[in-house]
Amino acid sequence: MLNIVLFGPPGAGKGTQSENLIQRFGLIHLSTGDIFRANIKGETELGKLAKKFMEKGELVPDSVTISMLESEVDKHPGAKGFIFDGFPRTSAQASALDAFLLTKSSTINCMLALEVNEEELRTRMLNRARTSGRADDADPGVIQNRIDVYNRETAPVAEYYRLQGKFVGINGLGSVDEISDRLCDAIHASLKSH
Ligand code: AMP
């Protein structure tokens, strides 16, 4: 299996780049943000719970997020691999993912971390709000909270993968195609080294 964590702050381009990567490598795309939004739309109990956190730019609690992610993985028993987009976002999620994949004799091959400065992130999210309809992209206060939560709770997850020798930083500035090429090169390099 080829399992990739696509990492980076909110607005770094994880969703856009996932689209290219799933086509090129035949992977299943699991975006926890997209799954929560589908649950909110479907007015499920999970959606109602997640909404309270998402509208403030806070993280949905680990226990809820981890069990949701595991059941999504289990929906694709024959998958060639996964792109985890927006997960793991805490150290507890990262170790739970490792333990879960181990039960399937699998592992994360690499973490690709899109690097984009905060000024650019704010601009991208406000632009995205015009077409995405995402309330959390339209409010500068919520955007700032998401960036602060990322710096405080999510950024340390990079260290978790760095210690395993799996962290690859990717310049997230440039055209969609340029960034996509950088990601593909990094995946090929990681496949060669393992
Ligand atoms: P995203 O679409 O990745 O920007 O996520 C939107 C929102 O969904 C986040 O601001 C969080 O409230 C929630 N969320 C998404 N993924 C996670 C996660 N792995 N852990 C906790 N909350 C998450």
Side-chain angles (χ1 to χ4, degrees), residues 109-110 159-168 193-194:
N109 295 75
C110 59
E159 194 54 28
Y160 179 93
Y161 289 95
R162 196 177 273 126
L163 287 171
Q164 295 185 7
K166 294 178 178 174
F167 174 90
V168 187
S193 69
H194 285 96

Side-chain angles (χ1 to χ4, degrees), residues 174-185:
S175 72
V176 171
D177 285 344
E178 280 165 355
I179 300 164
S180 178
D181 286 345
R182 288 174 204 144
L183 290 166
C184 289
D185 288 349

Side-chain angles (χ1 to χ4, degrees), residues 86-102:
F87 185 95
R89 255 175 160 102
T90 63
S91 301
Q93 291 178 15
S95 47
L97 180 61
D98 266 355
F100 178 66
L101 290 176
L102 197 61

Side-chain angles (χ1 to χ4, degrees), residues 13-93:
K14 300 185 293 291
T16 305
Q17 291 300 333
S18 292
E19 294 305 317
N20 289 329
L21 295 180
I22 53 172
Q23 283 178 13
R24 289 212 206 179
F25 293 93
L27 304 172
I28 303 285
H29 178 212
L30 289 186
S31 155
T32 40
D34 284 352
I35 301 165
F36 285 135
R37 280 184 288 277
N39 276 276
I40 291 173
K41 212 171 160 197
E43 296 179 354
T44 67
E45 286 307 310
L46 175 63
K48 281 180 207 154
L49 186 147
K51 188 165 189 260
K52 290 191 209 134
F53 296 91
M54 290 170 78
E55 61 193 9
K56 288 184 277 186
E58 298 290 336
L59 294 183
V60 179
D62 280 339
S63 56
V64 176
T65 307
I66 291 166
S67 56
M68 177 188 83
L69 189 276
E70 292 182 355
S71 68
E72 289 294 325
V73 169
D74 282 337
K75 286 181 188 167
H76 303 277
K80 275 175 71 179
F82 294 89
I83 293 195
F84 298 101
D85 162 2
F87 185 95
R89 255 175 160 102
T90 63
S91 301
Q93 291 178 15

